[in-house]
Amino acid sequence: MPDDTTVEDRLKAMIVERLFLKVAPSEIADDDILMEKFEIDSVRLFEIVIGLEEVFDISLEDDEFSIERFESVKAIAALVREKLQATGRASA
Amino acid sequence: MEEPLYFPSDAFRLFGVLHLPEGARRDCGLVFSPPFAEEQKQAYRVFVELARRLEREGFPSLRFDYRGTGDSEGPFSEFSLAGAMRDIAAAAAFLRERTSVSRIGLIGLRLGASLALQSAECGMRNAECEPPTTDGPPATGRASRVTCPSCLVLWQPIVDGALFHRLNIRRMQVRQMMTGGKATGERATGSAATIDLDGFLASRAMCEEIKALNIAECGTRIADWPPTLLVQFAHTTEPSGELKPLIEKLGPAAQFLPFVLEPFWDRLGYIDCSAPISATAAWLTRLPPA
């Protein structure tokens, strides 16, 4: 993926890919409530957690596992940026 | 015909289901090595469907539960990789005895695939060797010897045990978050004697044993490796980063067969596995006789 893609773009691509969603990444709005719109249960959320750790090379801590941090692409992107900044890595 | 039964492995009685074809029977029996914990639960029905399909193709087979799991004897804390390998050897010996087949193949999924591969490696390196010993109860019952399988079917094996352990911890944290709003998991496991893996109380020793697993690490290729089918379930047909080193290690003896399918052992909903079941049956029926 080109370097100018945003964290949100990469997250949407990862979510579509790992959850085998039948939508294009661009059809996911940043503010969509993922659990409502895509019927995301605990195993699918688990897949998202694993995916974002893999794609962004980050590792989540216990206190970062709270529902509101995973409710939308916008919320997850904020968490990712926080983690990247904490390790001195920039993000789009 | 399906026969539920118990058979011995060390001091344990293991539960199994023996599949015996009604008509012409092939001279190759197949032992199913199941996955671990939650993945075993989710994958149960697919193993049943695969065994029934193979039965129709003339293959006798044995599905079973490792010691400490399912309907087999022993608490879950008795589960160990070494013990599970001894159980695979016992299942193979029992199937050979009951059906008089001259060849045994192993079919494994996830951790079961890793253990099947390790069993084969143990058998190949020493022709016929003792399975690894366990720290469990004394082996007062029957202990079987590992012999090299005539073929291997590996459905999405776990290559890196440390990564698999991390996935199990993440699954626990997500479950805690979904039920309680936040996770308390990983820190709380730091000094605990057991870790609650979605209802399976795993001992510290069990987790350490799993973390140490690395089936791509065992070095050089082995000559005369048995025919191997390596099946991948992923969103792409490209080999995953985890499977690549294993493909490299197995070399030309292994056929890589990717399916764009969700990991059914990790899903709550129904996943249609008829394509990998048919492909596996077709591959097994094409194998030349001994």
Side-chain angles (χ1 to χ4, degrees):
Chain A
M1 205 166 273
D3 288 336
D4 60 351
T5 55
T6 64
V7 170
E8 285 81 357
D9 290 338
R10 294 171 72 189
L11 276 172
K12 290 173 189 175
M14 180 273 288
I15 289 169
V16 166
E17 194 173 273
R18 295 189 75 110
L19 302 189
F20 292 74
L21 296 180
K22 304 278 188 273
V23 298
S26 57
E27 291 177 58
I28 304 177
D30 290 357
D31 287 325
D32 280 344
I33 304 299
L34 296 172
M35 285 175 210
E36 288 171 9
K37 188 159 182 182
F38 300 105
E39 297 178 344
I40 290 177
D41 54 24
S42 61
V43 279
R44 287 193 152 81
L45 190 51
F46 161 72
E47 200 66 51
I48 291 176
V49 168
I50 295 304
L52 75 91
E53 287 192 321
E54 203 175 286
V55 169
F56 297 99
D57 193 22
I58 57 176
S59 182
L60 301 183
E61 306 296 331
D62 271 350
D63 54 10
E64 288 159 341
F65 283 85
S66 58
I67 283 290
E68 58 274 17
R69 283 185 177 265
F70 292 92
E71 69 177 8
S72 64
V73 166
K74 185 178 175 183
I76 302 173
L79 172 61
V80 169
R81 288 197 173 92
E82 221 175 89
K83 299 289 292 182
L84 292 176
Q85 276 162 17
T87 54
R89 286 176 287 165
S91 59
Chain B
M1 189 185 78
E2 291 173 35
E3 180 188 347
L5 46 77
Y6 285 92
F7 63 96
S9 177
D10 292 335
F12 300 95
R13 290 167 73 236
L14 304 186
F15 175 77
V17 177
L18 183 64
H19 290 254
L20 293 173
E22 303 277 357
R25 194 182 292 178
R26 292 176 192 268
D27 189 30
C28 177
L30 299 162
V31 169
F32 284 80
S33 310
F36 176 70
E38 183 69 15
E39 293 187 349
Q40 181 179 13
K41 272 170 57 190
Q42 299 297 105
Y44 192 90
R45 188 67 189 176
V46 175
F47 259 23
V48 174
E49 288 171 3
L50 179 55
R52 287 179 178 164
R53 172 61 189 269
L54 294 174
E55 186 184 323
R56 289 198 297 277
E57 300 289 346
F59 290 99
S61 71
L62 179 63
R63 295 183 286 115
F64 76 98
D65 297 330
Y66 304 117
R67 64 188 68 183
T69 74
D71 285 296
S72 290
E73 277 187 350
F76 185 64
S77 57
E78 290 291 348
F79 178 87
S80 67
L81 301 192
M85 280 179 67
R86 294 175 72 85
D87 295 343
I88 291 170
F94 177 80
L95 181 60
R96 192 187 290 269
E97 192 178 294
R98 274 293 304 270
T99 61
S100 303
V101 292
S102 64
R103 294 177 297 140
I104 294 288
L106 301 178
I107 298 180
L109 169 66
R110 302 290 290 146
L111 189 63
S114 313
L115 294 173
L117 185 131
Q118 287 200 317
S119 295
E121 203 158 60
C122 178
M124 287 298 291
R125 289 197 188 284
N126 304 304
E128 206 175 61
C129 71
E130 289 293 339
T133 54
T134 68
D135 294 330
T140 52
R142 184 168 68 175
S144 302
R145 299 171 76 84
V146 175
T147 53
C148 184
S150 65
C151 62
L152 280 173
V153 175
L154 310 176
W155 278 21
Q156 197 73 38
I158 288 159
V159 177
D160 179 349
L163 178 63
F164 179 58
H165 178 72
R166 196 163 67 88
L167 295 186
N168 282 324
I169 295 293
R170 290 290 177 265
R171 190 182 284 116
M172 173 184 72
Q173 289 170 313
V174 169
R175 177 193 29 100
Q176 290 173 338
M177 175 173 73
M178 294 293 272
T179 52
K182 60 181 184 176
T184 54
E186 194 163 25
R187 229 174 277 148
T189 65
S191 56
T194 57
I195 300 176
D196 180 357
L197 301 177
D198 274 350
F200 295 86
L201 277 186
S203 68
R204 177 74 45 196
M206 188 195 300
C207 293
E208 291 306 317
E209 195 186 16
I210 289 172
K211 281 160 74 174
L213 176 78
N214 191 329
I215 60 170
E217 208 176 46
C218 305
T220 55
R221 285 181 197 169
I222 301 171
D224 302 324
W225 186 259
T228 300
L229 182 66
L230 181 57
V231 180
Q232 173 180 275
F233 296 77
H235 51 77
T236 168
T237 55
E238 290 298 309
S240 69
E242 194 186 7
L243 288 188
K244 271 182 190 165
L246 184 60
I247 293 169
E248 171 66 22
K249 177 189 171 183
L250 293 175
Q255 182 186 338
F256 175 67
L257 188 57
F259 287 93
V260 178
L261 264 183
E262 294 191 60
F264 62 89
W265 57 88
D266 230 355
R267 292 288 188 267
L268 297 176
Y270 174 75
I271 309 290
D272 181 0
C273 288
S274 53
I277 286 174
S278 295
T280 298
W283 184 82
L284 283 165
T285 55
R286 282 198 304 268
L287 287 179

